[in-house]
Amino acid sequence: MLKAFQGFQPKQVINITLLGIFFWLPAFLFPLKFPSPIVLYPSPASPVMEPIARLSGFTAAVVSFIFWFLTGYLQVFMNTKHLFLKTRTLLPLFFILTLSTPVLGFFELNNLNLTFPILLIALHLVFGTYRNNNVDFSFFSAALWVGLASLICVKTSVFLIILWIALVTIRPFYFREWFASLAGFFTPWFFLFGIHFLLSDEIFSLETSIANDFMNIFRTTGPDNIRWTFLSFLGVLLLISSVQLLFTIPGLKIKTRKFYGVLFWIIMVSVVMFILFSSMWLSFIPLFSLFFSVIVSFYFLTDKVSLMKRILFDLYLAGLLIILIVRIF
């Protein structure tokens, strides 16, 4: 099956989209049995997100599918522009669509997950500055996107650290770019505090609310035995892919190595958040899936298609089908 998903032909978009719809079909047909949870927690952007919070049933499933399709496509778009997977491919979209299916029940739309497209756009802007030795104010735009994401989920404000790490690793030192990143991040917050001050003049209550929003715990239902088994398999697959990536990195282009270096630090920041909010670790599975889809795609795309890669890919599909059949019947 692996060879059928390689390449970048237009028909691959149709094949992967249809396969994604197939695994999402139970959520479309039986939304009560396979719900697509949309759980939004208090945040500075709560008034804007209220219409999303009211979605349920079939409508919630359709909106969730479109959202995860967009997230997966943004990963494909980033690779098409920066080619960190060595070849153009739709595999990241395939993994995002299959992992996000309500049949597995690992994903929900919450404040953190809603920021993924925004964070990917910011990352795309960051990598676009590579090899530009002039002062580049793209970091203002990237930080502005991170600032907007932090209004949706205050926890994502820690990703400003990633922009600073990128400034160190892929850019010459320009003080104005560091200042621009700070200015970009605080611009949405400046307007928020300004509007709040004009309307209510209660800045202290807003600061307390932001601190409470940062410490909010997202609660998701725990997986059953069969999904634990599938999660364990995903862990093994990620380990194998990471080991190959580690041995392959010295032979990659400098630009690609720098990308994976930033990706490594994103994972580290995510691990810190995982430790800080250990009681909501299940809510971080979608976040880690963003890295999983890239690293595992790299594994399946490098070198020739070996027997082991074909077996692991077939096991991934078989696991999804088994869970689909067991949960339906």
Side-chain angles (χ1 to χ4, degrees), residues 178-192:
W178 287 78
F179 176 78
S181 68
L182 280 172
F185 176 79
F186 284 113
T187 296
W189 289 98
F190 172 79
F191 282 104
L192 175 69

Side-chain angles (χ1 to χ4, degrees), residues 225-246:
N225 290 335
I226 189 170
R227 284 182 287 183
W228 271 117
T229 303
F230 188 71
L231 273 177
S232 302
F233 169 73
L234 294 182
V236 172
L237 183 56
L238 181 60
L239 178 62
I240 294 173
S241 303
S242 301
V243 170
Q244 171 164 323
L245 177 61
L246 184 64

Side-chain angles (χ1 to χ4, degrees), residues 113-132:
N113 299 349
L114 284 173
T115 65
F116 290 171
I118 300 175
L119 296 176
L120 289 175
I121 291 172
L123 199 60
H124 166 65
L125 292 172
V126 166
F127 288 121
T129 65
Y130 181 74
R131 286 293 180 101
N132 180 10

Side-chain angles (χ1 to χ4, degrees), residues 55-68:
L55 297 177
S56 62
F58 175 79
T59 307
V62 172
V63 170
S64 297
F65 176 82
I66 294 173
F67 173 82
W68 292 115

Side-chain angles (χ1 to χ4, degrees), residues 2 6 299-307 309-310:
L2 179 56
Q6 291 186 322
Y299 171 72
F300 284 122
L301 289 171
T302 51
D303 302 325
K304 63 180 181 180
V305 180
S306 64
L307 177 61
K309 291 180 182 179
R310 290 200 297 266

Side-chain angles (χ1 to χ4, degrees), residues 19 41 67 79 166 171 174 177 211 237 286 288 316 323:
L19 187 63
Y41 299 85
F67 173 82
N79 178 58
R171 300 287 300 153
Y174 295 115
E177 292 184 350
L237 183 56
F288 280 101
Y316 177 83
I323 294 176

Side-chain angles (χ1 to χ4, degrees), residues 261-298:
V262 175
L263 180 64
F264 168 79
W265 285 110
I266 295 177
I267 295 173
M268 291 298 100
V269 170
S270 303
V271 169
V272 171
M273 293 180 66
F274 170 84
I275 296 172
L276 183 61
F277 301 99
S278 57
S279 60
M280 55 175 279
W281 72 271
L282 280 171
S283 297
F284 287 101
I285 290 180
L287 179 61
F288 280 101
S289 73
L290 297 182
F291 317 133
F292 174 91
S293 61
V294 172
I295 295 173
V296 174
S297 295
F298 182 89

Side-chain angles (χ1 to χ4, degrees), residues 125-142:
L125 292 172
V126 166
F127 288 121
T129 65
Y130 181 74
R131 286 293 180 101
N132 180 10
N133 293 326
N134 299 318
V135 176
D136 194 327
F137 288 103
S138 296
F139 276 86
F140 175 87
S141 301

